[in-house]
């Protein structure tokens, strides 16, 4: 799973949002600068992004599922909340790690790297939310919001 999330967050090539040192930290480069035996942040942040996005989907389409909450602007409100929560999740986790000094001191990592990771996480969560709400099944298990999608609000 680490390679899967790493390829996503690194955008299948050189990452446009954060530095190579941040990518090394995300892969688990340890504090002693000796190997990839540290915390695998890609996996942690990737799975939390998936969980937050799926929970938001379930909340909108299967728990709330109200006739008052099935308009186009409601989909965009939930999508904005998903994007915001996932941005903050990635940004705060990595910013706290950097502030605590839990990374190789030879790496040049700053706040802009945390913002870039948060932005990358937000974009992927938006893409995942679009995909989740685009497929008919299990969206059609909901009654009122089953026709509210990105493509056909």
């Amino acid at each position: 799973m680490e390679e899967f999330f790493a390829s996503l967050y690194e955008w299948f090539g050189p990452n446009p949002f954060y530095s190579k040192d941040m990518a090394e930290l995300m892969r688990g480069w340890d504090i002693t600068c000796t190997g990839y035996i540290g915390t695998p942040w890609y996996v942690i942040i990737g799975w939390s992004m998936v969980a937050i996005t799926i929970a938001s989907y379930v909340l909108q389409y299967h728990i709330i599922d109200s006739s008052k909450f099935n308009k186009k602007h409601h989909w965009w409100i939930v999508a904005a909340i998903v994007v915001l929560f996932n941005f903050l999740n990635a940004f705060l986790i990595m910013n706290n790690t950097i502030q605590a000094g839990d990374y190789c001191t030879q790496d040049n990592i700053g706040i802009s790297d945390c913002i870039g990771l948060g932005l990358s996480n937000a974009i992927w969560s938006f893409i995942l939310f679009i995909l989740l709400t685009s497929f008919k099944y299990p969206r059609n298990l909901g009654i009122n919001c089953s026709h509210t999608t990105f493509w056909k609000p």
Side-chain angles (χ1 to χ4, degrees):
M1 287 312 295
E2 182 176 346
E3 285 303 314
F4 171 73
F5 285 121
S7 66
L8 282 181
Y9 285 108
E10 292 174 4
W11 295 88
F12 308 106
N15 191 309
F17 295 110
Y18 52 87
S19 69
K20 185 175 188 275
D21 290 338
M22 180 65 138
E24 296 291 326
L25 172 64
M26 295 293 293
R27 286 183 180 271
W29 190 248
D30 72 332
I31 194 168
T32 62
C33 307
T34 57
Y36 294 100
I37 55 175
T39 306
W41 290 113
Y42 276 135
V43 175
I44 293 168
I45 291 175
W47 278 116
S48 64
M49 182 263 301
V50 169
I52 290 169
T53 306
I54 288 175
S56 300
Y57 160 78
V58 168
L59 184 67
Q60 180 181 10
Y61 284 87
H62 302 291
I63 295 176
I64 294 176
D65 196 25
S66 167
S67 60
K68 294 180 182 179
F69 197 67
N70 66 354
K71 309 294 186 278
K72 175 169 112 175
H73 62 279
H74 295 121
W75 187 94
W76 281 102
I77 290 169
V78 173
I81 291 170
V82 166
V83 166
L84 179 66
F85 279 8
N86 281 300
F87 173 84
L88 289 175
N89 181 50
F91 173 79
L92 292 174
I93 287 173
M94 294 318 296
N95 189 43
N96 289 340
T97 300
I98 289 170
Q99 295 300 323
D102 292 339
Y103 65 97
C104 176
T105 55
Q106 296 172 356
D107 290 341
N108 186 17
I109 300 173
I111 191 81
S112 62
D113 292 316
C114 297
I115 292 170
L117 176 67
L119 182 62
S120 183
N121 199 39
I123 292 169
W124 280 114
S125 67
F126 184 67
I127 292 169
L128 179 60
F129 191 68
I130 288 173
L131 289 174
L132 283 174
T133 59
S134 294
F135 297 123
K136 281 190 171 191
Y137 184 82
R139 187 188 73 219
N140 282 349
L141 294 176
I143 297 168
N144 295 306
C145 293
S146 63
H147 297 293
T148 305
T149 69
F150 174 76
W151 310 107
K152 183 183 73 169

